[in-house]
Each structure stands twice: as C-alpha cells, then as structure tokens.
Amino acid sequence: MAASSFSVTNYISKSSVTDFNFSSEHSKNLLLLKFKLSTRLQARGRSFSVTNVASRKQQIQKLTDQSVEEETTVTLDNGILVPDSESVISSIKYHAEFTPLFSPEKFELPKAFYATAESVRDTLITNWNRTYKFHEEMNVKQAYYLSMEFLQGRALLNAIGNLELSGAYAEALRKLGHDLEDVARQEEDAALGNGGLGRLASCFLDSLATLNYPAWGYGLRYKYGLFKQLITKDGQEEVAESWLEMGNPWEIPRNDVSYPVKFYGEVTTGPDGQKKWVGGEDILAVAYDVPIPGYKTKTTINLRLWSTKVGPEYFNLKAFNSGDHAKAYEALQTAEKICYILYPGDESHEGKTLRLKQQYTLCSASLQDIIARFERRSGDALNWDDFPEKVAVQMNDTHPTLCIPELLRILMDIKGLSWKEAWGITQRTVAYTNHTVLPEALEKWSLHLLKELLPRHIEIIEMIDNELIDTIIGEYGIEDLELLKEKLTQMRVLDNVELPATVLKLLVQPDEIPTVDPVEEEEISEAVAEPTSEDDELEVKVTTDARVSKKVSFDPDPNSPKMVRMANLCVVGGHAVNGVAEIHSEIVINEVFNDFYKLWPEKFQNKTNGVTPRRWISFCNPELSKIITKWTGTEDWVLNTEKLVELKKFADNEELQSEWRKAKRINKEKTVSFLKEKTGYLVSPDAMFDVQVKRIHEYKRQLLNILGIVYRYKKMKEMNAVERKDKFVPRVCIFGGKAFATYIQAKRIVKFITDVGATVNNDPDIGDLLKVVFVPDYNVTVAEVLIPGILLILSTAGMEASGTSNMKFAMNGCIQIGTLDGANVEIRQEVGKENFFLFGAEAHEISGLRKERSEGKFVPDPRFEEVKKYVRSGVFGPYNYDELMGSLEGNEGYGRADYFLVGKDFPAYIECQEKVDKAYRDQKEWTKMSIMNTAGSYKFSSDRTIHQYARDIWTIEPLILPN
C-alpha cells in the first residue's frame, strides 16, 4: 500500500512541479485530480491503493476526465483556479495523506500547517509555470535582483492574501478543527536575512510580481541563518536558526539546475593567448526555487536560492574506514559550510575567506544561470551584443560586486569575446544600489586574499583599474601631479597598489623642478638675502616654496595593506548608481562618490526605498485596513497608495477618529499579549507604546534612546506619586534588534537596555508609568505584531541611508520622533512637519560638529553628565558600564569621542520627548496626527520605487499573462 501510494504521489507531484512544458490546462487538471483523489479517499477511509501499476496512468486519466466534466467545487476565473472552502479541504486532506511529514494518526497544528502550505503551493506552482513559460516565449528583457539577504518572513498568510484565498482557507481550516491564525503561527520565518537590506529585497520581489514585471531574485539558502537571539541575564546570546529542521514547504529543489563554482587554482595562457582558470577547489551550487505571488494577478515570479555541495565521490571512504573521519568528509563540509551562516564572523582569515566565497558563489552561480537562460531563449539567433537588451542585473549593495569581473571572465574566457566587447556589455548590464554613507561600511577586500581565492578575477580587476586610470589621466591631465595623485588615490579600484609601469613612466620627474626664469630667481635670492622683518622673512619663504615644485610620489605606503575597493568597482563597472533616499543620494553625489559624479554625472540617480502595502498594512493590520477602505471608498489603495491621501480630508472627522482609536486599541491589546508571551512582562494597553526596532548599531543610536529613558526614570524617582502622574504620560518603551555576534559595543547596548528594563519594570514606585521591554529575536513576524499597535516610532540615527521601518510605521499611523536623515526628510515633507517630532543636528552640520569635538570645543549639557553619572552609580546592577559610557567621552581616540553625537543631541532629544507627552494628552489632536501619517505614507510604497527602477535603470516593461 505504501509503495503504491508513493507511486501515485510521485507521478502527480513531479508532473505539476517540475515539468515546465505541461500546458496550463494539464496543470489545472492535475490540481482537480488532487482534490478528487482526496475526496474519494475520505469516502473510502485510508484503504486507497493502486494494485495494478501498469494501469496507473489509465486510472489517473479517467479520474481527471471525470473531475473536469463533473460539477466541482472549483471554479475557474480567467484561467486561475479559485477553490471554495470544500475544495480547499480536499486539497489539504490530500497533502496530509500523500505528502506527509508527520505520522498519519493525528491532524495537529504542525501537520495542518504543512498540509495547508503544500495546498497553497499547488496554486503557486501552476501560476509560476504559466509565468515562466510565457516569459520564455515572449523573450523580453528581464531584471535579476542579486542580494545576500531576502528577509521574507512567514509566507502562508501573504500567499493566500495575494491569491485572494484567505476566506476560503480560513473557512476550510475551521471545518477541519483549526483556526487559520493558529496554523499560520506554526511557520518559522525564513532565516535568509537580518535587517532593512533583506526586507527591502523581499518588498521589491512582492512589487515586481504584483506589477507583472519579468524579474527574478537570486540569493543564498542559509541553513542556520544569521542566528536566533536569546536574551539572558548576561545580555544577548546567539544560537543557530532551526528554520529548515522540519523542511521548507515553499521551496522547490531543482536538482537538475546546478553550476560549478571554482576557488583557488591558477591561470594559464594558451598558445592563442586565451586565458584559462584551472585546478583549485570545485563545488556545485544547486538551485532551490521559491515562488513569489503577485497581488490580484496570475504573475508569480521566482526567488532562486543557491545551496552548495560536492558529489559523493568527494567523500573519502578510505579515510573514513581507517578512522580519520574528519578527513573523510572534509571536502563535503568545506563546500556545505559556504551556505551555513549569513555574515559569518570575519575577524579571522578563515572568516574573511568564507564571506568572500559566499559572495562569489552568489555571483557565479546566478550569472551562469542568467547566461544559460539568455542562450536558450536566443536559440540560433544568439548575439552577445543583445545581452544588455535582454538582461538587467541589479546589485543590492556591494556584496554582489564580483558579478562584474565574473561576467567579464565568462564572456572573455568561455564565450571568446574580446576585452572591449565584454567590457561594453558588462557596463550596460550591471547597476548598483548604495546603502550606506559610512565610509568604513563600503566593502574593501584584501588584494592578497582575492589573488589567492580568485586569481583570474584579480587579473580582470587590474584591467578595470587600468581602464579607470587612463580615464582619470585623460580627464585631469599630467600638468598638476598633486591633483592627479589625489584623484587616483580616491578613485582607483585598487587601493595602495603600484601604478602600472607604463603610467609611472609617463609621470616620472626629477626631485625638484624649478619653475622660474633666471632673472626671477636672482630677484628671489636677493630678497632671501636681505629680509627686513619677520613678516618679510615669512613672505619670502612662502614665495620661494610656491616657485619650486617638489617631486610627487606615487609609491604605495609600505605600512598600509593593499585593498580592492568594491564600491568603486561597482561605480566603474555599472551604468547606474542609486541612493535610497533623497538626502542619501545627495550625500552619495556630493561626498561619497563626488569624483565619480564629476566624471559620469549621468550614472547617478535617487530611488527612495519603499515597502509593500500588502504585507505591511493590508495583511498585518486588518482593523485599520477596513477603516481605510471605508473612508477612501475603495480597496484600490492596496495597489494605488496615492488614494491614501484621501484620508487627509477626514482627519478632523470625529467618527473616523473614534474608529481609528478603536482599531489602535485592538492592536495594542494584541501587543500586550505578545509581549507577555515573549518577555514575561505585563504592560498596560492604556500607556503610550513607543518603539525602536532596528539592527543594534552605534550609528542607529539606541544608546541615545535608552539614556533618555534613564533620565526620565531618574526624574520620576525624584518626585512623589502625584507629581509623577501629573508630569509624565505612561510609557511602554519597546526595543528589538540583533547585535552582530562579534560587535562588542552593540552587545553592551543590548545588555544595558535589558538591565534598565529589569530595574524599572520591577520598581513598585513607578508601576505602569514606565516599562522598558526588549523583544528577543526581532524578525518580520515580530514586526507584523508590533507595528499596528505602536503609537510612536523613534528614529534616532544620525547617519541612516533610508530607514524603511519608519515607512512601515507611518503607514500604520505611527507618529515619528526623529532626526532629518535618510527617508525621514521625505516622510516629514509628506505627513506634514506639524505631525513629526523633530530634534537633533542635521546632516550638513555633522562634520563641523565632529571637528569641534576633536578640537576640545564641545561642552556637554549638565543633564547628559547627570545621566551618565546615574548609570555609573550601579542603580541598574553590578555590570561595569565604564566602556559604554566612556565611548561618549573624550575628544579623540578609537571607541571614544562620541562619534555618533549622542551627547550633542541628548538635550534636544529629552526636550522633544516632553513635547510628545504634551501632544499625547490631547487625544483628538494625536489621532489627527496619526491619520495624517498614514495619509502621507502613500509615497513610500515599494510599487512606486519598482516602477522607477524599471523605467530608469532596467528599462523593462510589465508583461501580463494572457487569460
């Protein structure tokens, strides 16, 4: 019986999942067959079996024909299967029976989730196959989004929401004895990302599918993710993620799609001058596909994730049998560990090597796949000049930079193109998104490590660097060698590396070059001989120095490492560079890449980030979504967020305000339950909930926030109960975010926050007036619970590129207290300055303030000194916070001098928080501010952003599937 059942399942599953050539009608029939099989199984109990294997196909065909001919519970709407609840029940039962991961006796929540997910996946695969086939036939230009992170979150509710099947699945599961929400909670977040970079990539995929653009995402399939964060008495602890332990029902292994990836080895040159990369270490990158459905469309695009392995022939059986087990599986482990962890620690040489292997694996496997698709679609009409007309590659930050030399390597060494041809194609194909204004965050790799790991690629990078040197010399000439040296130092891809011999020969000069004629020189000599005063002496010295040009050395610094600057390589090797907020793009142009902008102004653009309104308001906040639909008069706002602006007309309406507050209250009560479950702390839903949920980093300035809370607590303790109640609005201060495992200062901040919470939350004098809660293991699912119930979002960073979390909160009517950096500038413009609490230094002031600090001119506010002293008093426990407080002190030195201006902005911050308290007491005005934030968030939909990428960078058009 087991074998027979497996045979039927194998036939059906393989047909519907992996055969791209099946017609859409055949796919629909297979789904109908599954529903019918399940129904008949239910009628006959568990006695179903196929005893005559030879007649299997005849039986299946008969059942299929009957299923199509009979009146069924499945309806067809424009070619899409739209099952009602009875059909869904049949599908779920089918998967519980035939694609089991659990024993058959029970239908408990974990089993219900996997069976439900497999049921939904059937529809996704049908749409995915149709989309794939249509794109192949049309052979239009396609965009490929390469990112080291995709922070997807749970997929079940998002998938059935986009497919418009939420009602059918909710009803079906109720009839099966389960609640849809309970079933959905069984899903673990896919551990494929960490912060805003990965979440942005996932929002973009949702928008690409929804808007019917031909596009794919490419990433890595991390087995253990970044880490699962635990909060203990010692602060943050890290353990491996377990998201793949029970299997991932959404992914489709493509065992027939794999590509070789090479490391190390050497480069040889053939008799014809052709380069060949040989020897070294070889692995395989194997594809796992995740269907990404669009909203209210049949278009379903693909996220292709790579996993790494080697074949069984690499298992050393002789070593294993001799007892040397480590040697036996050394090659297997070396290959597999590439996809173990997102961002492995890189303080060691091994860690740096592993990170570089990850980046190259992503680039090499993805480009091989893209090129294979281009060649297949081109057929006999293959023309490499058409490659940029069919392919757009977007690099999400510098992690995929190796796409540039890898594409060049494939085109030159494998496809036989010349350097000029390959370079032109590459520059027209690749584009780069910059995500940081921090110079230290712009990736650099050791030249020695790259030579060792990717010897052919470093040769190609040297060729790119030579092209750039020629361009710079052509632009600036050789008359002013000091200027030329400055430009080469700032712009070259290779940092602190010798110039090519041909260039050095051009620039060689004697030690000193006199630049005056003999008569002028004699006059200078006389002036030098007879100075009449100290001022004359100084003037003569300056004049003499100005008249003699000293030798300009282009030699590298022997005490500094030779590096490869990945951001510079991105700018040089691509046709477009974009920032992710207006002010960020201005900094990119005027500071980070100013020299490149002067050379190629046409390359630089702004593309303000956005977030998908489906996941981040429609699905995660149904209470508020119903109100928005009612008052805008349409559900179209989910696709056309410009309609949110309609809410401004009703912002003073008492009925809307009452409904708005009720929705917020419902969401706050959900947040209360969630916080109790996750942290053990019970908070009051009557309090104002404020939140700061971001990756823990000094530049995000969680330290400013918690010091403000400490100051608030100290002032409360100095008052009696009546004074406290009159002075302060009750607050629940919520933190969330992960500190990188080796980032000691960030982990100190986590420890500090939890220590403050442990003290404040157990202080009977304070009660519900102040609570401080750190939510462990912050991820997409946690955000979906918190965001709808939060009233105030803190954005204290001083060097944020964009800040997409602020956009999500604004969409949900959350008011912001923040600085003018990243997307905050645009958010404040759209929601209205009166609906945004502004404090702190502005971007153009930062460098001057740091200079003042280094010169010892900064005078700290007495309140800042007071709060630091209070922390050091031991009120929050025995932990020594001298290192943390010390980072805010001094005028210079590593880990000192308050680089992120916490002390400078502290007084403005606590004064702004007093304004927040005052505003919150007027609930009518506060609610109006909340409504205006939602109305003003229309601009920050990722749909708008994707339209701009498609139009300005990728030049692709929507492609709607035919009915």
Side-chain angles (χ1 to χ4, degrees):
M1 175 178 169
S4 300
S5 298
F6 175 79
S7 298
V8 173
T9 307
N10 193 46
Y11 174 84
I12 297 171
S13 297
K14 281 191 174 180
S15 297
S16 62
V17 173
T18 61
D19 191 341
F20 301 149
N21 297 316
F22 277 2
S23 68
S24 59
E25 191 65 29
H26 182 62
S27 297
K28 287 182 283 186
N29 288 346
L30 284 165
L31 285 179
L32 288 168
L33 171 59
K34 286 185 177 183
F35 296 146
K36 280 296 177 184
L37 279 173
S38 180
T39 303
R40 297 186 182 195
L41 280 170
Q42 182 182 9
R44 295 171 56 183
R46 296 191 65 253
S47 60
F48 175 78
S49 64
V50 180
T51 55
N52 186 349
V53 177
S55 63
R56 178 181 61 193
K57 292 185 179 179
Q58 293 177 356
Q59 293 182 35
I60 290 173
Q61 186 60 51
K62 184 178 179 181
L63 282 171
T64 301
D65 293 341
Q66 291 173 356
S67 298
V68 174
E69 290 170 5
E70 294 172 4
E71 182 179 342
T72 73
T73 55
V74 179
T75 59
L76 298 177
D77 178 16
N78 294 327
I80 302 178
L81 286 169
V82 185
D84 62 14
S85 63
E86 293 303 320
S87 303
V88 170
I89 288 172
S90 296
S91 176
I92 292 172
K93 285 184 174 180
Y94 171 86
H95 284 290
E97 180 80 12
F98 284 95
T99 52
L101 291 170
F102 302 86
S103 57
E105 290 80 12
K106 299 177 181 179
F107 189 67
E108 295 178 335
L109 282 171
K111 184 175 183 177
F113 162 68
Y114 280 91
T116 302
E118 294 282 358
S119 167
V120 176
R121 197 183 76 164
D122 287 345
T123 305
L124 295 181
I125 290 171
T126 300
N127 291 345
W128 189 95
N129 284 343
R130 290 195 64 203
T131 304
Y132 185 91
K133 183 180 180 183
F134 187 53
H135 290 176
E136 287 277 298
E137 291 171 348
M138 297 302 294
N139 190 20
V140 294
K141 186 175 185 179
Q142 186 161 327
Y144 298 98
Y145 197 82
L146 272 64
S147 178
M148 287 296 287
E149 297 185 41
F150 287 92
L151 198 59
Q152 293 287 93
R154 291 173 175 167
L156 178 58
L157 294 181
N158 189 75
I160 62 176
N162 277 359
L163 292 168
E164 299 182 274
L165 297 177
S166 300
Y169 272 88
E171 184 180 351
L173 286 167
R174 275 197 301 273
K175 291 179 180 179
L176 291 171
H178 291 301
D179 181 79
L180 174 60
E181 295 289 337
D182 292 336
V183 170
R185 276 194 285 270
Q186 304 306 303
E187 182 176 3
E188 290 202 52
D189 279 37
L192 299 172
N194 175 38
L197 186 80
R199 187 52 237 168
L200 177 76
S202 294
C203 283
F204 279 4
L205 291 186
D206 177 270
S207 290
L208 284 163
T210 296
L211 301 173
N212 300 295
Y213 282 113
W216 278 23
Y218 281 101
L220 296 182
R221 180 179 179 265
Y222 304 105
K223 186 174 182 179
Y224 301 117
L226 182 72
F227 58 81
K228 185 182 288 292
Q229 182 192 53
L230 306 179
I231 299 298
T232 70
K233 62 181 179 60
D234 298 317
Q236 172 182 296
E237 293 185 9
E238 306 88 23
V239 296
E241 289 273 13
S242 58
W243 74 290
L244 288 176
E245 285 303 292
M246 297 292 291
N248 177 10
W250 305 107
E251 69 182 14
I252 306 163
R254 303 295 193 192
N255 292 317
D256 59 331
V257 181
S258 62
Y259 296 96
V261 179
K262 182 186 291 293
F263 306 107
Y264 304 108
E266 61 180 348
V267 180
T268 62
T269 305
D272 57 353
Q274 190 72 21
K275 297 278 189 175
K276 188 174 183 181
W277 184 17
V278 298
E281 174 187 301
D282 297 296
I283 65 164
L284 275 180
V286 182
Y288 286 74
D289 287 349
V290 180
I292 307 294
Y295 177 69
K296 289 190 175 184
T297 175
K298 292 170 285 187
T299 299
T300 300
I301 64 173
N302 194 38
L303 170 58
R304 177 156 284 179
L305 303 172
W306 300 107
S307 186
T308 47
K309 69 173 190 177
V310 292
E313 66 272 16
Y314 285 87
F315 180 75
N316 191 330
L317 191 60
K318 182 178 180 180
F320 190 85
N321 286 330
S322 68
D324 193 350
H325 297 164
K327 182 179 179 182
Y329 54 75
E330 181 180 7
L332 280 69
Q333 189 178 54
T334 298
E336 291 171 0
K337 73 179 182 182
I338 292 172
C339 291
Y340 274 176
I341 299 291
L342 169 64
Y343 302 140
D346 61 354
E347 293 185 346
S348 66
H349 176 77
E350 291 77 12
K352 290 181 175 68
T353 301
L354 186 56
R355 277 215 193 187
L356 196 54
K357 280 186 172 184
Q358 286 184 334
Q359 294 186 5
Y360 178 62
T361 298
L362 169 64
C363 296
S364 180
S366 302
L367 282 172
Q368 289 182 72
D369 196 44
I370 291 166
I371 288 169
R373 189 171 302 111
F374 169 74
E375 290 179 315
R376 183 177 65 251
R377 290 181 180 180
S378 299
D380 295 336
L382 178 65
N383 181 348
W384 286 106
D385 284 340
D386 293 337
F387 189 76
E389 308 305 318
K390 297 295 184 181
V391 172
V393 174
Q394 187 70 35
M395 301 181 295
N396 191 27
D397 214 349
T398 53
H399 306 127
T401 305
L402 289 169
C403 280
I404 294 167
E406 175 67 358
L407 181 54
L408 285 162
R409 182 189 72 84
I410 294 172
L411 293 176
M412 292 190 298
D413 297 359
I414 299 176
K415 305 305 176 183
L417 274 66
S418 69
W419 161 257
K420 183 177 180 181
E421 292 170 324
W423 182 229
I425 290 168
T426 299
Q427 286 189 304
R428 289 161 55 208
T429 300
V430 176
Y432 161 53
T433 299
N434 173 272
H435 284 277
T436 183
V437 299
L438 292 170
E440 61 269 25
L442 297 173
E443 274 195 307
K444 294 182 181 180
W445 284 105
S446 160
L447 178 65
H448 174 75
L449 176 59
L450 268 167
K451 277 185 176 179
E452 178 185 28
L453 192 69
L454 303 171
R456 178 58 178 140
H457 295 75
I458 205 63
E459 290 183 352
I460 294 170
I461 290 171
E462 287 171 349
M463 295 170 72
I464 296 171
D465 191 55
N466 290 345
E467 287 276 344
L468 178 60
I469 291 169
D470 290 345
T471 302
I472 294 169
I473 293 175
E475 179 71 16
Y476 293 99
I478 61 173
E479 290 78 15
D480 188 340
L481 292 183
E482 286 283 2
L483 176 64
L484 181 60
K485 179 183 178 180
E486 176 189 332
K487 298 303 179 184
L488 288 171
T489 301
Q490 292 173 351
M491 298 176 70
R492 285 186 64 190
V493 174
L494 300 179
D495 183 24
N496 199 42
V497 175
E498 299 86 351
L499 286 167
T502 53
V503 175
L504 280 174
K505 185 177 180 181
L506 180 68
L507 303 179
V508 70
Q509 57 179 326
D511 287 346
E512 291 188 352
I513 303 175
T515 59
V516 294
D517 61 33
V519 175
E520 289 176 315
E521 189 171 13
E522 183 177 350
E523 292 173 356
I524 292 170
S525 299
E526 291 174 357
V528 171
E530 300 178 3
T532 58
S533 68
E534 287 185 14
D535 290 342
D536 288 343
E537 186 175 359
L538 178 62
E539 182 179 348
V540 169
K541 182 178 186 302
V542 171
T543 304
T544 305
D545 289 345
R547 300 284 185 163
V548 179
S549 175
K550 291 190 176 180
K551 178 180 179 180
V552 177
S553 173
F554 290 88
D555 294 338
D557 181 355
N559 299 315
S560 298
K562 300 178 190 292
M563 307 295 286
V564 179
R565 295 188 279 208
M566 307 306 270
N568 289 23
L569 180 54
C570 287
V571 176
V572 177
H575 65 90
V577 179
N578 72 277
V580 291
E582 288 178 1
I583 190 171
H584 170 238
S585 295
E586 290 174 10
I587 295 171
V588 164
I589 287 172
N590 296 325
E591 297 178 27
V592 182
F593 297 126
N594 182 248
D595 289 314
F596 290 106
Y597 174 72
K598 291 175 180 176
L599 201 58
W600 301 303
E602 70 282 357
K603 283 191 180 188
F604 290 83
Q605 306 181 20
N606 174 61
K607 297 287 174 280
T608 298
N609 283 343
V611 300
T612 168
R614 269 76 63 186
R615 181 181 287 270
W616 291 115
I617 182 166
S618 180
F619 299 157
C620 79
N621 197 345
E623 287 79 14
L624 199 63
S625 297
K626 291 172 188 174
I627 295 170
I628 294 170
T629 298
K630 173 184 173 181
W631 287 88
T632 60
T634 179
E635 291 183 345
D636 290 350
W637 62 268
V638 181
L639 281 170
N640 303 304
T641 51
E642 289 83 357
K643 295 185 181 297
L644 292 173
V645 178
E646 288 290 307
L647 292 171
K648 291 184 178 181
K649 296 189 299 188
F650 308 106
D652 288 306
N653 186 285
E654 291 186 5
E655 183 183 353
L656 171 58
Q657 288 198 0
S658 176
E659 293 174 2
W660 201 270
R661 283 192 291 270
K662 286 178 183 176
K664 279 289 183 183
R665 177 71 183 202
I666 291 170
N667 289 323
K668 285 175 75 177
E669 288 171 352
K670 291 178 182 178
T671 302
V672 169
S673 299
F674 177 80
L675 293 177
K676 181 71 169 73
E677 176 190 347
K678 292 295 182 183
T679 71
Y681 289 128
L682 181 62
V683 302
S684 170
D686 297 322
M688 180 203 298
F689 287 8
D690 74 32
V691 71
Q692 188 175 18
V693 281
K694 293 175 179 286
R695 177 167 51 95
I696 309 296
H697 195 291
E698 288 171 278
Y699 93 84
K700 303 280 188 182
R701 296 205 301 185
Q702 287 93 349
L703 189 53
L704 174 60
N705 184 6
I706 190 62
L707 286 174
I709 293 167
V710 169
Y711 184 80
R712 186 183 187 92
Y713 175 66
K714 184 177 185 295
K715 295 296 123 180
M716 285 182 174
K717 293 293 286 182
E718 293 169 357
M719 299 176 181
N720 62 41
V722 175
E723 290 172 332
R724 286 187 206 112
K725 189 173 181 180
D726 288 342
K727 174 72 174 176
F728 296 102
V729 166
R731 289 275 192 116
V732 177
C733 304
I734 303 167
F735 292 84
K738 296 179 179 180
F740 190 65
T742 58
Y743 190 174
I744 302 302
Q745 194 74 321
K747 294 177 79 169
R748 286 191 185 116
I749 293 171
V750 174
K751 168 66 173 165
F752 183 35
I753 294 168
T754 58
D755 280 353
V756 172
T759 301
V760 172
N761 299 345
N762 293 294
D763 189 330
D765 293 338
I766 303 303
D768 286 337
L769 266 181
L770 183 62
K771 298 291 184 187
V772 181
V773 182
F774 192 102
V775 181
D777 207 38
Y778 182 70
N779 57 21
V780 173
T781 295
V782 175
E784 289 171 338
V785 177
L786 291 182
I787 287 174
I790 300 302
L791 303 181
L792 182 73
I793 169 70
L794 291 95
S795 178
T796 57
M799 301 186 72
E800 192 75 82
S802 178
T804 50
S805 64
N806 303 343
M807 300 172 183
K808 301 174 192 121
F809 280 99
M811 273 187 180
N812 285 270
C814 190
I815 302 164
Q816 186 170 168
I817 175 172
T819 52
L820 279 184
D821 68 341
N824 283 2
V825 177
E826 294 157 82
I827 291 174
R828 185 169 178 261
Q829 288 171 351
E830 298 300 331
V831 306
K833 63 181 181 180
E834 67 278 9
N835 303 306
F836 185 108
F837 294 101
L838 178 66
F839 77 94
E842 297 186 24
H844 67 274
E845 300 175 294
I846 301 298
S847 59
L849 290 168
R850 289 195 178 124
K851 185 173 184 292
E852 285 183 12
R853 182 74 182 233
S854 66
E855 294 171 351
K857 296 178 181 179
F858 172 70
V859 179
D861 188 277
R863 293 166 290 184
F864 186 57
E865 295 300 289
E866 178 185 352
V867 77
K868 287 189 295 175
K869 183 178 179 181
Y870 191 58
V871 171
R872 285 179 163 132
S873 71
V875 67
F876 300 115
Y879 188 86
N880 187 337
Y881 283 108
D882 281 345
E883 287 286 341
L884 190 59
M885 295 300 104
S887 70
L888 307 174
E889 297 169 338
N891 297 322
E892 59 183 359
Y894 180 76
R896 303 276 294 175
D898 193 11
Y899 185 77
F900 298 105
L901 305 178
V902 172
K904 173 66 177 67
D905 281 350
F906 182 79
Y909 177 64
I910 60 174
E911 289 164 10
C912 194
Q913 284 286 14
E914 291 173 1
K915 295 177 183 177
V916 172
D917 276 6
K918 182 179 178 181
Y920 187 70
R921 294 182 188 277
D922 184 347
Q923 278 296 291
K924 179 176 171 56
E925 188 62 27
W926 184 273
T927 306
K928 178 181 177 180
M929 294 172 71
S930 176
I931 293 168
M932 293 297 286
N933 269 266
T934 297
S937 69
Y938 75 95
K939 180 180 176 180
F940 306 107
S941 164
S942 52
D943 295 352
R944 289 170 59 92
T945 312
I946 284 300
H947 274 314
Q948 294 169 9
Y949 273 96
R951 179 193 65 209
D952 301 335
I953 298 179
W954 305 332
T955 61
I956 60 174
E957 298 289 338
L959 192 63
I960 300 174
L961 288 173
N963 293 333

